[in-house]
Each structure stands twice: as C-alpha cells, then as structure tokens.
Amino acid sequence: MHEAVSVFLLYLTSFFSLINPLGVMPVFLGMTADLSAPQRTRVVKRAVVVAFITLIAFAFLGKFIFLFFNISTDSLRIVGGVIFFLMGYEMLQARLSRIKVTDEEALDAENDISITPLAIPMICGPGAITNAIVLMGDTKGFDQQLLLVFS
C-alpha cells in the first residue's frame, strides 16, 4: 500500500508540474475573454478530454512507436529532461503575450482553441507526452498502469 501511494504521488506531481494548470489558466482566460460562461465550459471540457485521450494513447502506444523508429527509452529520458529544462527556462523569462480576438473569431474560437492551442500543446505538451511514455515504460504491473491513467 505504501508503495502504491508513493508511486501515485510520483505520477501526480510529475504530471502536475509538466502540465502546469496554474500557468495555463491565465492564457485560457485571455483566449476566451470574449466567450460566455457556457462556451468557456465547453471549451475546457473538450480540451481536457482531447488532452487526456492524447496522453493515454501515447502512454500505451509510445512503446510501439519507439520500436518502429528504433528509439530507446533512455534516449527519450535525456530528450525529456532537456525539454523539461527548456520549459522551466521559458517560465523564468516571464514573457506574456496578449491575443486579440475579433467578434467573428470569438464565435469560431470555441471550436478552434479547445483542440489546437489548449489541448495540444498547452495541456498535453511534449513534456507531458514524454513523461507518460517513460512512466508507462517503468510500470510494474496493471495496478501501476491504472494509477498512471488515474493520475
């Protein structure tokens, strides 16, 4: 039981730090400033579902993709570390960008921003995908796979 809790906390904290929901929130609010509350809710739900499906797909199919391209998990760990470092360095720069949306674009924004900028790459970026693949490769049974999916 103690091992399951520590593994779950490892999975949860690594995904939380890579996805960075507190950092995504201001960007989301800025991008959806012209949308109504129900439209924002639909955008959030769609973005989270698409990001979840993408992460699960890469977690379970990533090993086969690596076998096809003859990439080792250790090389992905190195690249993932570099990506994680670069993301942290970008956060330290604190560059903010304001996106202007016209009324016509605001109506189309509900369909557009939920998948492309929000789900992929903001919620489910390269670091989170790398993390899912590496952690799924390290699982030792169905119970740890289930904890990874739950986290």
Side-chain angles (χ1 to χ4, degrees):
M1 183 67 183
H2 177 67
E3 180 185 352
V5 172
S6 64
V7 167
F8 177 71
L9 286 176
L10 169 72
Y11 294 163
L12 188 66
T13 55
S14 64
F15 277 115
F16 187 83
S17 63
L18 286 169
I19 292 172
N20 190 14
L22 300 176
V24 172
M25 187 174 29
V27 176
F28 166 76
L29 292 173
M31 294 175 89
T32 61
D34 295 334
L35 298 178
S36 66
Q39 288 174 326
R40 276 189 187 174
T41 304
R42 281 194 297 273
V43 168
V44 167
K45 286 180 182 178
R46 188 177 302 134
V48 168
V49 167
V50 168
F52 177 75
I53 290 171
T54 305
L55 281 176
I56 294 300
F58 273 102
F60 284 104
L61 300 176
K63 181 173 74 172
F64 301 111
I65 295 170
F66 287 166
L67 289 175
F68 180 76
F69 288 111
N70 198 19
I71 300 172
S72 70
T73 307
D74 291 331
S75 63
L76 182 70
R77 288 178 198 263
I78 294 170
V79 171
V82 170
I83 290 172
F84 189 66
F85 172 77
L86 291 175
M87 286 175 55
Y89 182 75
E90 281 294 318
M91 287 180 198
L92 289 175
Q93 298 301 315
R95 286 184 244 148
L96 298 175
S97 64
R98 180 79 174 144
I99 298 174
K100 304 267 181 182
V101 179
T102 64
D103 292 336
E104 184 178 310
E105 290 174 338
L107 296 174
D108 293 337
E110 181 181 345
N111 294 326
D112 293 340
I113 67 169
S114 64
I115 295 174
T116 325
L118 285 179
I120 305 167
M122 293 181 75
I123 297 173
C124 175
I129 291 172
T130 303
N131 190 44
I133 294 171
V134 169
L135 290 178
M136 185 59 80
D138 290 346
T139 57
K140 297 179 182 112
F142 181 72
D143 56 340
Q144 286 188 358
Q145 288 178 349
L146 192 63
L147 286 175
L148 180 65
V149 169
F150 185 69
S151 67

PDB file of all heavy atoms in Angstrom, residues 4-5 7-16 19 48 52 55-56 59-60 132 135-136 139 142-151:
ATOM      1  N   ALA A   4       2.261   1.896  -3.433  1.00  0.00           N
ATOM      2  CA  ALA A   4       1.254   2.420  -4.367  1.00  0.00           C
ATOM      3  C   ALA A   4       1.039   3.919  -4.146  1.00  0.00           C
ATOM      4  O   ALA A   4       0.899   4.674  -5.109  1.00  0.00           O
ATOM      5  CB  ALA A   4      -0.062   1.664  -4.205  1.00  0.00           C
ATOM      6  N   VAL A   5       1.021   4.350  -2.901  1.00  0.00           N
ATOM      7  CA  VAL A   5       0.842   5.775  -2.601  1.00  0.00           C
ATOM      8  C   VAL A   5       2.030   6.581  -3.107  1.00  0.00           C
ATOM      9  O   VAL A   5       1.864   7.644  -3.725  1.00  0.00           O
ATOM     10  CB  VAL A   5       0.624   5.993  -1.086  1.00  0.00           C
ATOM     11  CG1 VAL A   5       0.644   7.468  -0.736  1.00  0.00           C
ATOM     12  CG2 VAL A   5      -0.682   5.362  -0.649  1.00  0.00           C
ATOM     13  N   VAL A   7       4.121   5.766  -5.525  1.00  0.00           N
ATOM     14  CA  VAL A   7       4.112   5.747  -6.993  1.00  0.00           C
ATOM     15  C   VAL A   7       3.059   6.706  -7.520  1.00  0.00           C
ATOM     16  O   VAL A   7       3.308   7.466  -8.465  1.00  0.00           O
ATOM     17  CB  VAL A   7       3.875   4.308  -7.508  1.00  0.00           C
ATOM     18  CG1 VAL A   7       3.534   4.286  -8.984  1.00  0.00           C
ATOM     19  CG2 VAL A   7       5.087   3.441  -7.241  1.00  0.00           C
ATOM     20  N   PHE A   8       1.873   6.712  -6.910  1.00  0.00           N
ATOM     21  CA  PHE A   8       0.819   7.624  -7.342  1.00  0.00           C
ATOM     22  C   PHE A   8       1.237   9.082  -7.159  1.00  0.00           C
ATOM     23  O   PHE A   8       0.995   9.912  -8.018  1.00  0.00           O
ATOM     24  CB  PHE A   8      -0.489   7.334  -6.600  1.00  0.00           C
ATOM     25  CG  PHE A   8      -1.586   8.288  -6.956  1.00  0.00           C
ATOM     26  CD1 PHE A   8      -2.190   8.229  -8.204  1.00  0.00           C
ATOM     27  CD2 PHE A   8      -2.007   9.254  -6.061  1.00  0.00           C
ATOM     28  CE1 PHE A   8      -3.200   9.112  -8.553  1.00  0.00           C
ATOM     29  CE2 PHE A   8      -3.016  10.141  -6.391  1.00  0.00           C
ATOM     30  CZ  PHE A   8      -3.617  10.064  -7.643  1.00  0.00           C
ATOM     31  N   LEU A   9       1.873   9.396  -6.033  1.00  0.00           N
ATOM     32  CA  LEU A   9       2.342  10.767  -5.806  1.00  0.00           C
ATOM     33  C   LEU A   9       3.423  11.166  -6.806  1.00  0.00           C
ATOM     34  O   LEU A   9       3.460  12.313  -7.260  1.00  0.00           O
ATOM     35  CB  LEU A   9       2.853  10.926  -4.376  1.00  0.00           C
ATOM     36  CG  LEU A   9       1.774  10.983  -3.299  1.00  0.00           C
ATOM     37  CD1 LEU A   9       2.400  11.046  -1.915  1.00  0.00           C
ATOM     38  CD2 LEU A   9       0.866  12.174  -3.524  1.00  0.00           C
ATOM     39  N   LEU A  10       4.277  10.220  -7.180  1.00  0.00           N
ATOM     40  CA  LEU A  10       5.277  10.488  -8.209  1.00  0.00           C
ATOM     41  C   LEU A  10       4.600  10.822  -9.533  1.00  0.00           C
ATOM     42  O   LEU A  10       4.940  11.813 -10.189  1.00  0.00           O
ATOM     43  CB  LEU A  10       6.198   9.281  -8.383  1.00  0.00           C
ATOM     44  CG  LEU A  10       7.120   9.332  -9.610  1.00  0.00           C
ATOM     45  CD1 LEU A  10       8.220  10.358  -9.406  1.00  0.00           C
ATOM     46  CD2 LEU A  10       7.670   7.969  -9.913  1.00  0.00           C
ATOM     47  N   TYR A  11       3.628  10.004  -9.928  1.00  0.00           N
ATOM     48  CA  TYR A  11       2.912  10.233 -11.183  1.00  0.00           C
ATOM     49  C   TYR A  11       2.167  11.570 -11.153  1.00  0.00           C
ATOM     50  O   TYR A  11       2.243  12.357 -12.094  1.00  0.00           O
ATOM     51  CB  TYR A  11       1.911   9.111 -11.454  1.00  0.00           C
ATOM     52  CG  TYR A  11       2.517   7.749 -11.703  1.00  0.00           C
ATOM     53  CD1 TYR A  11       1.739   6.607 -11.606  1.00  0.00           C
ATOM     54  CD2 TYR A  11       3.853   7.582 -12.034  1.00  0.00           C
ATOM     55  CE1 TYR A  11       2.277   5.352 -11.841  1.00  0.00           C
ATOM     56  CE2 TYR A  11       4.392   6.335 -12.254  1.00  0.00           C
ATOM     57  CZ  TYR A  11       3.597   5.220 -12.152  1.00  0.00           C
ATOM     58  OH  TYR A  11       4.127   3.983 -12.392  1.00  0.00           O
ATOM     59  N   LEU A  12       1.461  11.813 -10.066  1.00  0.00           N
ATOM     60  CA  LEU A  12       0.635  13.010  -9.969  1.00  0.00           C
ATOM     61  C   LEU A  12       1.476  14.288  -9.971  1.00  0.00           C
ATOM     62  O   LEU A  12       1.171  15.232 -10.697  1.00  0.00           O
ATOM     63  CB  LEU A  12      -0.234  12.945  -8.713  1.00  0.00           C
ATOM     64  CG  LEU A  12      -1.281  14.032  -8.564  1.00  0.00           C
ATOM     65  CD1 LEU A  12      -2.328  13.899  -9.658  1.00  0.00           C
ATOM     66  CD2 LEU A  12      -1.940  13.946  -7.201  1.00  0.00           C
ATOM     67  N   THR A  13       2.533  14.310  -9.193  1.00  0.00           N
ATOM     68  CA  THR A  13       3.353  15.519  -9.125  1.00  0.00           C
ATOM     69  C   THR A  13       4.116  15.764 -10.423  1.00  0.00           C
ATOM     70  O   THR A  13       4.305  16.920 -10.821  1.00  0.00           O
ATOM     71  CB  THR A  13       4.336  15.457  -7.949  1.00  0.00           C
ATOM     72  OG1 THR A  13       5.127  14.257  -8.054  1.00  0.00           O
ATOM     73  CG2 THR A  13       3.604  15.498  -6.624  1.00  0.00           C
ATOM     74  N   SER A  14       4.545  14.695 -11.081  1.00  0.00           N
ATOM     75  CA  SER A  14       5.263  14.909 -12.342  1.00  0.00           C
ATOM     76  C   SER A  14       4.324  15.456 -13.414  1.00  0.00           C
ATOM     77  O   SER A  14       4.692  16.376 -14.157  1.00  0.00           O
ATOM     78  CB  SER A  14       5.941  13.624 -12.807  1.00  0.00           C
ATOM     79  OG  SER A  14       4.993  12.622 -13.097  1.00  0.00           O
ATOM     80  N   PHE A  15       3.104  14.922 -13.502  1.00  0.00           N
ATOM     81  CA  PHE A  15       2.160  15.457 -14.481  1.00  0.00           C
ATOM     82  C   PHE A  15       1.704  16.865 -14.107  1.00  0.00           C
ATOM     83  O   PHE A  15       1.542  17.714 -14.978  1.00  0.00           O
ATOM     84  CB  PHE A  15       0.940  14.539 -14.640  1.00  0.00           C
ATOM     85  CG  PHE A  15       1.190  13.401 -15.582  1.00  0.00           C
ATOM     86  CD1 PHE A  15       1.183  12.103 -15.125  1.00  0.00           C
ATOM     87  CD2 PHE A  15       1.429  13.626 -16.924  1.00  0.00           C
ATOM     88  CE1 PHE A  15       1.422  11.054 -15.987  1.00  0.00           C
ATOM     89  CE2 PHE A  15       1.668  12.595 -17.794  1.00  0.00           C
ATOM     90  CZ  PHE A  15       1.667  11.296 -17.324  1.00  0.00           C
ATOM     91  N   PHE A  16       1.518  17.120 -12.822  1.00  0.00           N
ATOM     92  CA  PHE A  16       1.087  18.455 -12.396  1.00  0.00           C
ATOM     93  C   PHE A  16       2.137  19.502 -12.750  1.00  0.00           C
ATOM     94  O   PHE A  16       1.816  20.587 -13.227  1.00  0.00           O
ATOM     95  CB  PHE A  16       0.795  18.476 -10.892  1.00  0.00           C
ATOM     96  CG  PHE A  16       0.190  19.762 -10.422  1.00  0.00           C
ATOM     97  CD1 PHE A  16      -1.174  19.977 -10.544  1.00  0.00           C
ATOM     98  CD2 PHE A  16       0.970  20.762  -9.868  1.00  0.00           C
ATOM     99  CE1 PHE A  16      -1.745  21.175 -10.119  1.00  0.00           C
ATOM    100  CE2 PHE A  16       0.406  21.954  -9.445  1.00  0.00           C
ATOM    101  CZ  PHE A  16      -0.954  22.155  -9.575  1.00  0.00           C
ATOM    102  N   ILE A  19       2.236  19.735 -16.813  1.00  0.00           N
ATOM    103  CA  ILE A  19       1.046  20.319 -17.433  1.00  0.00           C
ATOM    104  C   ILE A  19       0.864  21.757 -16.962  1.00  0.00           C
ATOM    105  O   ILE A  19       0.431  22.611 -17.728  1.00  0.00           O
ATOM    106  CB  ILE A  19      -0.198  19.453 -17.130  1.00  0.00           C
ATOM    107  CG1 ILE A  19      -0.063  18.112 -17.857  1.00  0.00           C
ATOM    108  CG2 ILE A  19      -1.473  20.157 -17.544  1.00  0.00           C
ATOM    109  CD1 ILE A  19      -1.119  17.094 -17.499  1.00  0.00           C
ATOM    110  N   VAL A  48      -9.743  19.263 -22.196  1.00  0.00           N
ATOM    111  CA  VAL A  48      -9.287  18.273 -21.221  1.00  0.00           C
ATOM    112  C   VAL A  48      -9.486  16.850 -21.756  1.00  0.00           C
ATOM    113  O   VAL A  48      -8.611  15.991 -21.600  1.00  0.00           O
ATOM    114  CB  VAL A  48     -10.004  18.478 -19.866  1.00  0.00           C
ATOM    115  CG1 VAL A  48      -9.771  17.311 -18.938  1.00  0.00           C
ATOM    116  CG2 VAL A  48      -9.548  19.771 -19.234  1.00  0.00           C
ATOM    117  N   PHE A  52      -6.457  14.311 -22.459  1.00  0.00           N
ATOM    118  CA  PHE A  52      -6.445  13.023 -21.766  1.00  0.00           C
ATOM    119  C   PHE A  52      -6.319  11.871 -22.760  1.00  0.00           C
ATOM    120  O   PHE A  52      -5.504  10.962 -22.564  1.00  0.00           O
ATOM    121  CB  PHE A  52      -7.720  12.870 -20.926  1.00  0.00           C
ATOM    122  CG  PHE A  52      -7.825  11.542 -20.230  1.00  0.00           C
ATOM    123  CD1 PHE A  52      -7.048  11.272 -19.118  1.00  0.00           C
ATOM    124  CD2 PHE A  52      -8.691  10.566 -20.691  1.00  0.00           C
ATOM    125  CE1 PHE A  52      -7.143  10.050 -18.477  1.00  0.00           C
ATOM    126  CE2 PHE A  52      -8.792   9.350 -20.058  1.00  0.00           C
ATOM    127  CZ  PHE A  52      -8.009   9.088 -18.952  1.00  0.00           C
ATOM    128  N   LEU A  55      -2.762  11.779 -24.166  1.00  0.00           N
ATOM    129  CA  LEU A  55      -1.791  11.245 -23.214  1.00  0.00           C
ATOM    130  C   LEU A  55      -1.935   9.734 -23.044  1.00  0.00           C
ATOM    131  O   LEU A  55      -0.941   9.008 -22.991  1.00  0.00           O
ATOM    132  CB  LEU A  55      -1.922  11.942 -21.861  1.00  0.00           C
ATOM    133  CG  LEU A  55      -1.286  13.307 -21.751  1.00  0.00           C
ATOM    134  CD1 LEU A  55      -1.573  13.916 -20.389  1.00  0.00           C
ATOM    135  CD2 LEU A  55       0.204  13.228 -21.988  1.00  0.00           C
ATOM    136  N   ILE A  56      -3.170   9.263 -22.976  1.00  0.00           N
ATOM    137  CA  ILE A  56      -3.391   7.821 -22.824  1.00  0.00           C
ATOM    138  C   ILE A  56      -2.908   7.078 -24.072  1.00  0.00           C
ATOM    139  O   ILE A  56      -2.282   6.012 -23.976  1.00  0.00           O
ATOM    140  CB  ILE A  56      -4.890   7.525 -22.552  1.00  0.00           C
ATOM    141  CG1 ILE A  56      -5.286   8.111 -21.194  1.00  0.00           C
ATOM    142  CG2 ILE A  56      -5.188   6.048 -22.609  1.00  0.00           C
ATOM    143  CD1 ILE A  56      -4.513   7.560 -20.020  1.00  0.00           C
ATOM    144  N   ALA A  59       0.809   6.998 -23.970  1.00  0.00           N
ATOM    145  CA  ALA A  59       1.290   6.148 -22.887  1.00  0.00           C
ATOM    146  C   ALA A  59       1.247   4.676 -23.287  1.00  0.00           C
ATOM    147  O   ALA A  59       2.187   3.920 -23.024  1.00  0.00           O
ATOM    148  CB  ALA A  59       0.461   6.375 -21.625  1.00  0.00           C
ATOM    149  N   PHE A  60       0.169   4.257 -23.945  1.00  0.00           N
ATOM    150  CA  PHE A  60       0.031   2.845 -24.293  1.00  0.00           C
ATOM    151  C   PHE A  60       0.670   2.494 -25.639  1.00  0.00           C
ATOM    152  O   PHE A  60       1.123   1.365 -25.829  1.00  0.00           O
ATOM    153  CB  PHE A  60      -1.445   2.437 -24.294  1.00  0.00           C
ATOM    154  CG  PHE A  60      -2.004   2.271 -22.914  1.00  0.00           C
ATOM    155  CD1 PHE A  60      -2.827   3.237 -22.372  1.00  0.00           C
ATOM    156  CD2 PHE A  60      -1.690   1.168 -22.147  1.00  0.00           C
ATOM    157  CE1 PHE A  60      -3.337   3.103 -21.100  1.00  0.00           C
ATOM    158  CE2 PHE A  60      -2.187   1.018 -20.867  1.00  0.00           C
ATOM    159  CZ  PHE A  60      -3.016   1.996 -20.340  1.00  0.00           C
ATOM    160  N   ALA A 132       4.515  10.593 -19.934  1.00  0.00           N
ATOM    161  CA  ALA A 132       3.581   9.467 -19.999  1.00  0.00           C
ATOM    162  C   ALA A 132       4.247   8.231 -20.584  1.00  0.00           C
ATOM    163  O   ALA A 132       4.063   7.114 -20.075  1.00  0.00           O
ATOM    164  CB  ALA A 132       2.357   9.856 -20.836  1.00  0.00           C
ATOM    165  N   LEU A 135       7.002   6.935 -17.981  1.00  0.00           N
ATOM    166  CA  LEU A 135       6.405   6.335 -16.787  1.00  0.00           C
ATOM    167  C   LEU A 135       5.666   5.043 -17.113  1.00  0.00           C
ATOM    168  O   LEU A 135       5.678   4.110 -16.314  1.00  0.00           O
ATOM    169  CB  LEU A 135       5.473   7.331 -16.100  1.00  0.00           C
ATOM    170  CG  LEU A 135       6.148   8.523 -15.418  1.00  0.00           C
ATOM    171  CD1 LEU A 135       5.107   9.447 -14.815  1.00  0.00           C
ATOM    172  CD2 LEU A 135       7.141   8.057 -14.372  1.00  0.00           C
ATOM    173  N   MET A 136       5.022   4.970 -18.279  1.00  0.00           N
ATOM    174  CA  MET A 136       4.352   3.729 -18.656  1.00  0.00           C
ATOM    175  C   MET A 136       5.379   2.629 -18.907  1.00  0.00           C
ATOM    176  O   MET A 136       5.133   1.466 -18.606  1.00  0.00           O
ATOM    177  CB  MET A 136       3.486   3.942 -19.900  1.00  0.00           C
ATOM    178  CG  MET A 136       2.675   2.725 -20.288  1.00  0.00           C
ATOM    179  SD  MET A 136       1.530   2.151 -19.000  1.00  0.00           S
ATOM    180  CE  MET A 136       0.194   3.283 -19.209  1.00  0.00           C
ATOM    181  N   THR A 139       6.302   1.067 -15.487  1.00  0.00           N
ATOM    182  CA  THR A 139       5.282   0.431 -14.648  1.00  0.00           C
ATOM    183  C   THR A 139       5.590  -1.047 -14.482  1.00  0.00           C
ATOM    184  O   THR A 139       6.133  -1.698 -15.367  1.00  0.00           O
ATOM    185  CB  THR A 139       3.877   0.600 -15.241  1.00  0.00           C
ATOM    186  OG1 THR A 139       3.859   0.055 -16.556  1.00  0.00           O
ATOM    187  CG2 THR A 139       3.451   2.048 -15.258  1.00  0.00           C
ATOM    188  N   PHE A 142      -0.338  -4.163 -13.805  1.00  0.00           N
ATOM    189  CA  PHE A 142      -1.579  -3.488 -14.147  1.00  0.00           C
ATOM    190  C   PHE A 142      -1.984  -2.448 -13.117  1.00  0.00           C
ATOM    191  O   PHE A 142      -2.549  -1.415 -13.471  1.00  0.00           O
ATOM    192  CB  PHE A 142      -2.703  -4.526 -14.319  1.00  0.00           C
ATOM    193  CG  PHE A 142      -4.016  -3.922 -14.697  1.00  0.00           C
ATOM    194  CD1 PHE A 142      -4.214  -3.417 -15.969  1.00  0.00           C
ATOM    195  CD2 PHE A 142      -5.047  -3.826 -13.765  1.00  0.00           C
ATOM    196  CE1 PHE A 142      -5.417  -2.842 -16.324  1.00  0.00           C
ATOM    197  CE2 PHE A 142      -6.252  -3.252 -14.108  1.00  0.00           C
ATOM    198  CZ  PHE A 142      -6.437  -2.766 -15.387  1.00  0.00           C
ATOM    199  N   ASP A 143      -1.676  -2.685 -11.848  1.00  0.00           N
ATOM    200  CA  ASP A 143      -2.060  -1.726 -10.810  1.00  0.00           C
ATOM    201  C   ASP A 143      -1.330  -0.394 -10.978  1.00  0.00           C
ATOM    202  O   ASP A 143      -1.935   0.670 -10.813  1.00  0.00           O
ATOM    203  CB  ASP A 143      -1.833  -2.308  -9.416  1.00  0.00           C
ATOM    204  CG  ASP A 143      -0.400  -2.758  -9.193  1.00  0.00           C
ATOM    205  OD1 ASP A 143       0.312  -2.984 -10.202  1.00  0.00           O
ATOM    206  OD2 ASP A 143       0.013  -2.891  -8.022  1.00  0.00           O
ATOM    207  N   GLN A 144      -0.065  -0.415 -11.341  1.00  0.00           N
ATOM    208  CA  GLN A 144       0.659   0.832 -11.565  1.00  0.00           C
ATOM    209  C   GLN A 144       0.200   1.503 -12.867  1.00  0.00           C
ATOM    210  O   GLN A 144       0.171   2.738 -12.939  1.00  0.00           O
ATOM    211  CB  GLN A 144       2.159   0.579 -11.608  1.00  0.00           C
ATOM    212  CG  GLN A 144       2.732   0.309 -10.240  1.00  0.00           C
ATOM    213  CD  GLN A 144       4.239   0.252 -10.247  1.00  0.00           C
ATOM    214  OE1 GLN A 144       4.878   0.372 -11.287  1.00  0.00           O
ATOM    215  NE2 GLN A 144       4.820   0.042  -9.080  1.00  0.00           N
ATOM    216  N   GLN A 145      -0.172   0.725 -13.873  1.00  0.00           N
ATOM    217  CA  GLN A 145      -0.729   1.315 -15.094  1.00  0.00           C
ATOM    218  C   GLN A 145      -2.030   2.028 -14.778  1.00  0.00           C
ATOM    219  O   GLN A 145      -2.307   3.115 -15.297  1.00  0.00           O
ATOM    220  CB  GLN A 145      -0.940   0.249 -16.159  1.00  0.00           C
ATOM    221  CG  GLN A 145       0.330  -0.270 -16.762  1.00  0.00           C
ATOM    222  CD  GLN A 145       0.079  -1.353 -17.788  1.00  0.00           C
ATOM    223  OE1 GLN A 145      -1.015  -1.868 -17.917  1.00  0.00           O
ATOM    224  NE2 GLN A 145       1.128  -1.705 -18.526  1.00  0.00           N
ATOM    225  N   LEU A 146      -2.840   1.421 -13.940  1.00  0.00           N
ATOM    226  CA  LEU A 146      -4.100   2.044 -13.542  1.00  0.00           C
ATOM    227  C   LEU A 146      -3.858   3.333 -12.743  1.00  0.00           C
ATOM    228  O   LEU A 146      -4.563   4.337 -12.963  1.00  0.00           O
ATOM    229  CB  LEU A 146      -4.920   1.051 -12.712  1.00  0.00           C
ATOM    230  CG  LEU A 146      -6.368   1.395 -12.451  1.00  0.00           C
ATOM    231  CD1 LEU A 146      -7.135   1.455 -13.772  1.00  0.00           C
ATOM    232  CD2 LEU A 146      -7.000   0.354 -11.544  1.00  0.00           C
ATOM    233  N   LEU A 147      -2.870   3.332 -11.872  1.00  0.00           N
ATOM    234  CA  LEU A 147      -2.526   4.548 -11.134  1.00  0.00           C
ATOM    235  C   LEU A 147      -2.028   5.645 -12.079  1.00  0.00           C
ATOM    236  O   LEU A 147      -2.360   6.818 -11.897  1.00  0.00           O
ATOM    237  CB  LEU A 147      -1.433   4.238 -10.100  1.00  0.00           C
ATOM    238  CG  LEU A 147      -1.858   3.477  -8.860  1.00  0.00           C
ATOM    239  CD1 LEU A 147      -0.646   3.135  -8.002  1.00  0.00           C
ATOM    240  CD2 LEU A 147      -2.876   4.270  -8.067  1.00  0.00           C
ATOM    241  N   LEU A 148      -1.282   5.252 -13.115  1.00  0.00           N
ATOM    242  CA  LEU A 148      -0.793   6.230 -14.077  1.00  0.00           C
ATOM    243  C   LEU A 148      -1.954   6.846 -14.854  1.00  0.00           C
ATOM    244  O   LEU A 148      -2.010   8.056 -15.036  1.00  0.00           O
ATOM    245  CB  LEU A 148       0.207   5.582 -15.031  1.00  0.00           C
ATOM    246  CG  LEU A 148       0.811   6.505 -16.092  1.00  0.00           C
ATOM    247  CD1 LEU A 148       1.649   7.580 -15.424  1.00  0.00           C
ATOM    248  CD2 LEU A 148       1.635   5.707 -17.057  1.00  0.00           C
ATOM    249  N   VAL A 149      -2.879   6.027 -15.290  1.00  0.00           N
ATOM    250  CA  VAL A 149      -4.050   6.545 -16.015  1.00  0.00           C
ATOM    251  C   VAL A 149      -4.872   7.442 -15.112  1.00  0.00           C
ATOM    252  O   VAL A 149      -5.342   8.501 -15.525  1.00  0.00           O
ATOM    253  CB  VAL A 149      -4.892   5.376 -16.568  1.00  0.00           C
ATOM    254  CG1 VAL A 149      -6.235   5.863 -17.084  1.00  0.00           C
ATOM    255  CG2 VAL A 149      -4.144   4.661 -17.669  1.00  0.00           C
ATOM    256  N   PHE A 150      -5.052   7.055 -13.863  1.00  0.00           N
ATOM    257  CA  PHE A 150      -5.830   7.855 -12.927  1.00  0.00           C
ATOM    258  C   PHE A 150      -5.159   9.190 -12.626  1.00  0.00           C
ATOM    259  O   PHE A 150      -5.838  10.215 -12.488  1.00  0.00           O
ATOM    260  CB  PHE A 150      -6.075   7.082 -11.635  1.00  0.00           C
ATOM    261  CG  PHE A 150      -6.977   7.783 -10.668  1.00  0.00           C
ATOM    262  CD1 PHE A 150      -8.321   7.936 -10.951  1.00  0.00           C
ATOM    263  CD2 PHE A 150      -6.477   8.309  -9.496  1.00  0.00           C
ATOM    264  CE1 PHE A 150      -9.155   8.610 -10.072  1.00  0.00           C
ATOM    265  CE2 PHE A 150      -7.298   8.975  -8.606  1.00  0.00           C
ATOM    266  CZ  PHE A 150      -8.640   9.122  -8.891  1.00  0.00           C
ATOM    267  N   SER A 151      -3.844   9.191 -12.538  1.00  0.00           N
ATOM    268  CA  SER A 151      -3.148  10.453 -12.237  1.00  0.00           C
ATOM    269  C   SER A 151      -3.176  11.378 -13.427  1.00  0.00           C
ATOM    270  O   SER A 151      -3.183  12.583 -13.308  1.00  0.00           O
ATOM    271  CB  SER A 151      -1.705  10.198 -11.815  1.00  0.00           C
ATOM    272  OG  SER A 151      -0.955   9.686 -12.880  1.00  0.00           O
TER     273      SER A 151
END
